[in-house]
Each structure stands twice: as structure tokens, then as C-alpha cells.
Amino acid sequence: MDLKSLYRSVIMDHYKNPKNKGLINDEGYLTVHLNNPTCGDDLIVQLLIKDDKIIDLKQQGKGCSICCASASVASELLKNKDTTEAIKLIRTFYDMLTGKEIKDKSILEDALAFEGVGQFPARIKCATLAWKAYEKGLNPLEGEQNNE
Ligand code: ZN
């Protein structure tokens, strides 16, 4: 199996069997709702943060396979990370998509599957929507300013 089809199968697998899907009714969770009008993606994420650590994440939305798979991949990658580490991972994911040089790509794990999306500028927003939502939950004020 070549790398491209491996990546495609990672995305399809997360799309068909999304992780951490479904919202939870608990006021301890921070909820962020974002959408991507150019594609019609609409996503709600929830984060449970304790002592600067992400204990749990939830995601629920409708949209294209890239958006939904990315929300699933991000929820798995960011779980049990401390907030500084999570923000670093989110920034690294953006850097990968915009073709910036990254020292250690392996920290992105399954999220590496989205590297090829960077070749399709219109789809970058699909891939980053969930990450922007989680970022906003981690740092509400900064998320507001960095909404683009
Ligand atoms: Zn999309």
C-alpha cells in the first residue's frame, strides 16, 4: 500500500468510525460551535479541561469526510494532553497544511494523513475546522482573534 492510499484509508476509517462522537450534557465541558460556509461543514466540539490538561473531548457535526474525519483524529490526538502541548499540536497541524517546515511531524500521528489536503486550498478549511474549534476552547480569547 502506498502512502497516499494509506492516508486515504486513515481518513475514511475515522469518517466511518468517528472517535469521541456525540455531545455530553455536562456544564463542566466547554462547548464551541464553528461552521465552514464554503463547504457546509457544521461542527460542535466539547472539551473537559482540568488542571491545564484535556481530560475529555467530544465532537458532533455534519459535513464532508475531511471535516468529520479531522474532528475525530483531533479528538484522539488531543486527549490527555496538557493545554500547552495541545496548542503546539494544533499549530503544527496548521503548519503542515500550509506547507511550512516542521521539525518533528511524527507528533501529529494520524493527523499526518491530512498533509495532502494542503494541495487543495479550498479544503484546508474543512481540515482545520475542528482544530480551530478545539483551539478556541483551549484559549477562548485568542481563538476569537485567530478565527481566520
Ligand atoms: Zn468540508
Side-chain angles (χ1 to χ4, degrees):
M1 199 191 279
D2 66 27
L3 205 55
K4 261 192 182 156
S5 37
L6 173 72
Y7 282 175
R8 201 174 304 125
S9 76
V10 168
I11 292 174
M12 285 321 289
D13 190 46
H14 276 275
Y15 179 58
K16 286 181 188 152
N17 305 295
K19 306 288 191 302
N20 304 301
K21 183 151 177 145
L23 300 178
I24 200 158
N25 191 6
D26 180 332
E27 57 188 23
Y29 282 73
L30 272 159
T31 301
V32 182
H33 184 188
L34 284 185
N35 59 58
N36 171 22
T38 51
C39 179
D41 304 319
D42 191 277
L43 184 73
I44 298 172
V45 304
Q46 293 182 309
L47 302 93
L48 181 64
I49 300 168
K50 268 192 189 135
D51 300 326
D52 284 330
K53 191 173 175 178
I54 305 175
I55 308 292
D56 194 24
L57 302 102
K58 297 279 171 200
Q59 51 94 9
Q60 172 93 61
K62 46 186 195 304
C64 65
S65 54
I66 292 176
C67 172
C68 294
S70 190
S72 169
V73 169
S75 71
E76 257 201 331
L77 185 66
L78 301 176
K79 204 168 191 167
N80 295 319
K81 298 287 192 299
D82 64 47
T83 53
T84 327
E85 202 180 351
I87 285 175
K88 187 184 159 198
L89 285 165
I90 292 170
R91 300 269 157 86
T92 307
F93 184 72
Y94 298 160
D95 285 349
M96 176 185 76
L97 286 175
T98 50
K100 288 196 187 121
E101 192 152 336
I102 301 167
K103 272 191 203 137
D104 184 11
K105 274 189 198 173
S106 66
I107 58 168
L108 288 175
E109 299 174 21
D110 273 5
L112 279 171
F114 295 91
E115 190 170 20
V117 175
Q119 291 160 24
F120 306 95
R123 310 308 299 275
I124 291 178
K125 280 190 177 172
C126 301
T128 57
L129 188 69
W131 301 72
K132 288 196 163 141
Y134 290 125
E135 186 183 27
K136 204 166 174 176
L138 285 164
N139 201 341
L141 287 174
E142 200 173 324
E144 205 73 56
Q145 289 157 359
N146 287 344
N147 216 359
E148 209 34 60

